Amino acid sequence: PLASKAIRPDGYISVGKIKDLSTQGAIASNGGVASPVDGLNTIIVKNPQDPKTPFAVNPKCTHQGCVVEWHGDKNVFICPCHGAEFDASGSVVRGPAGKPLQTYAVKVEEGSILIKA
Ligand code: FES
C-alpha cells in the first residue's frame, strides 16, 4: 500500500533505479507503488530520445480502460483490447484511443527514479 512507501516532502516517490530500467527496459511499479490518483500501477519506460529521463505512464487505456502493455522492441504501448498504440511518452500513435495516456512528473536523483503522481 502507498502508506508504506515514503512520499517525500516534495511529493515524489522512489520507484526504482535507472540501472534496472537499463537492464529491464521497463519497470512496472507493482511493488506497492500504485498511483495515488486512481490506484493503478505505473509503468516506467525509457525515453528513446533521452535515456537519462524516463517516462512514467499510467497504463490505463484512454479508450475503454484496458491495461496497455509495453513493447520495448518497438517503443510502443499496445492495448490488447482494441489495438490502440501509444508512444513512450503516452501520445496516441494509433486509434481507436483519442487521448494520450496519463503521465506523471519524473526526475532522477543519484540513480533513483522519482515520480510524482
Ligand atoms: Fe484500449 Fe479499446 S480499451 S483500445
Side-chain angles (χ1 to χ4, degrees):
L2 256 190
S4 66
K5 279 281 175 182
I7 299 179
R8 307 187 337 168
D10 63 4
Y12 281 84
I13 306 166
S14 174
V15 292
K17 301 275 184 200
I18 278 283
K19 73 172 159 43
D20 297 332
L21 186 60
S22 296
T23 51
Q24 297 165 23
I27 297 173
S29 58
N30 53 9
V33 191
S35 156
V37 176
D38 57 10
L40 278 178
N41 291 334
T42 304
I43 300 182
I44 315 298
V45 297
K46 278 187 223 176
N47 176 347
Q49 269 80 50
D50 177 7
K52 291 196 178 115
T53 310
F55 290 118
V57 174
N58 182 329
K60 182 179 176 182
C61 183
T62 55
H63 180 229
Q64 287 179 6
C66 291
V67 177
V68 301
E69 292 159 0
W70 176 242
H71 293 252
D73 52 333
K74 293 182 261 180
N75 285 325
V76 289
F77 293 97
I78 300 177
C79 182
C81 289
H82 315 102
E85 295 186 17
F86 306 85
D87 71 13
S89 72
S91 295
V92 177
V93 175
R94 180 179 142 145
K99 290 192 194 149
L101 297 174
Q102 183 182 12
T103 56
Y104 303 106
V106 179
K107 64 182 180 179
V108 177
E109 284 180 9
E110 294 170 0
S112 290
I113 302 164
L114 303 163
I115 70 166
K116 189 174 186 174

